[in-house]
Amino acid sequence: GGDLFFGEKSFEVEDLLRKDSNGAGYLNILRLTDIQDRPKLFSTFMLSLLAEIYNTFPEQGDSDKPKLVMFIDEAHLIFEQASSALLDQIESIV
């Protein structure tokens, strides 16, 4: 019954791959303005998100077009104080 108490995740990573009725993908924007000035917290969020993507989506190899593209605005703010765990996770996914 704990799932009723805690609820569901804020989003599922599969939601990032949704398509409309014409087969076009959606553009998802994650705004994290309340933590963007806190690099360690932002790195922790990114590490969690990337780990979930890495563990959820199967390895595909090279394909004609990507299924997921991520742009990280102001990425230098993340990488200046990024933990080695986050850098390792990014390297694993890439």
Side-chain angles (χ1 to χ4, degrees):
D3 57 336
L4 295 175
F5 178 75
F6 292 108
E8 64 178 285
K9 296 179 182 178
S10 58
F11 65 92
E12 298 286 337
V13 290
E14 291 88 0
D15 291 344
L16 299 173
L17 301 180
R18 289 183 311 140
K19 295 182 179 181
D20 66 14
S21 59
N22 296 322
Y26 286 92
L27 177 64
N28 299 281
I29 299 173
L30 304 176
R31 290 191 68 213
L32 303 171
T33 55
D34 54 339
I35 65 169
Q36 71 183 13
D37 296 331
R38 299 162 65 185
K40 291 189 187 261
L41 183 58
F42 191 77
S43 289
T44 302
F45 168 78
M46 288 299 298
L47 179 59
S48 174
L49 176 64
L50 293 173
E52 184 72 20
I53 289 171
Y54 186 77
N55 290 324
T56 301
F57 299 148
E59 187 172 329
Q60 184 174 334
D62 294 334
S63 63
D64 294 336
K65 58 184 178 179
K67 287 190 174 191
L68 177 67
V69 177
M70 292 181 68
F71 294 95
I72 304 171
D73 190 27
E74 302 292 336
H76 68 281
L77 297 174
I78 300 168
F79 297 114
E80 285 177 355
Q81 297 182 21
S83 66
S84 61
L86 175 60
L87 296 176
D88 291 343
Q89 187 68 41
I90 292 171
E91 185 178 325
S92 295
I93 288 176
V94 170

